[in-house]
Amino acid sequence: QLQLVESGGGLVQAGGSRRLSCSISGFNLDYYAIFWFRQAPGKEREEVSCIRSSATRYADSVKGRFTVSRDNAKNTVYLQMNSLKPEDTAVYRCAAVGGYYCSGLLYGIDYWGKGTLVTVSS
């Protein structure tokens, strides 16, 4: 069964760090780009990062603070978040897109996780 499950959310103070995990089952990580999206209350969903093989891309709002990585042996993608700000508070969801290399237009998402809430207190 195709599944993406996020974990690692919680409450963290501004300036702190948090690592999110996206555990993937039912498909081969090598053939999919894995995204992190986030959505804060009352705001539109925002793409945070993308990774496929050695290709990565980040939103300007998180560049230099967030790092995406993958462990193929564990079929897991991580989002290391440092220097967190209150405006990083959101539900973070991972997603998978087949045949995409983290460049060019994105036309749709194949699979979604349910999300994990990150709350950054000031």
Side-chain angles (χ1 to χ4, degrees):
Q1 186 175 355
L2 301 167
Q3 205 171 12
L4 297 91
V5 179
E6 303 91 339
S7 60
L11 178 63
V12 60
Q13 287 191 329
S17 298
R18 200 83 180 181
R19 189 178 80 161
L20 304 182
S21 300
C22 176
S23 179
I24 296 155
S25 59
F27 60 89
N28 190 326
L29 198 56
D30 288 339
Y31 302 117
Y32 286 80
I34 304 299
F35 289 80
W36 285 99
F37 288 88
R38 67 184 180 185
Q39 188 163 18
K43 295 190 176 180
E44 291 192 354
R45 187 172 62 217
E46 175 188 24
E47 178 191 319
V48 175
S49 68
C50 178
I51 185 169
R52 180 171 178 180
S53 298
S54 59
T56 58
R57 125 179 136 194
Y58 297 92
D60 288 343
S61 57
V62 306
K63 277 181 186 175
R65 300 189 299 123
F66 290 13
T67 303
V68 64
S69 62
R70 50 190 280 166
D71 185 334
N72 283 5
K74 295 182 178 180
N75 234 33
T76 300
V77 171
Y78 303 99
L79 184 68
Q80 178 66 44
M81 306 185 295
N82 299 329
S83 302
L84 283 162
K85 306 174 182 179
E87 50 264 43
D88 294 318
T89 295
V91 173
Y92 286 74
R93 299 177 72 184
C94 59
V97 179
Y100 188 74
Y101 287 89
C102 300
S103 66
L105 293 176
L106 179 64
Y107 292 98
I109 300 294
D110 293 321
Y111 306 106
W112 285 99
K114 291 184 178 180
T116 186
L117 175 63
V118 175
T119 303
V120 184
S121 63
S122 57

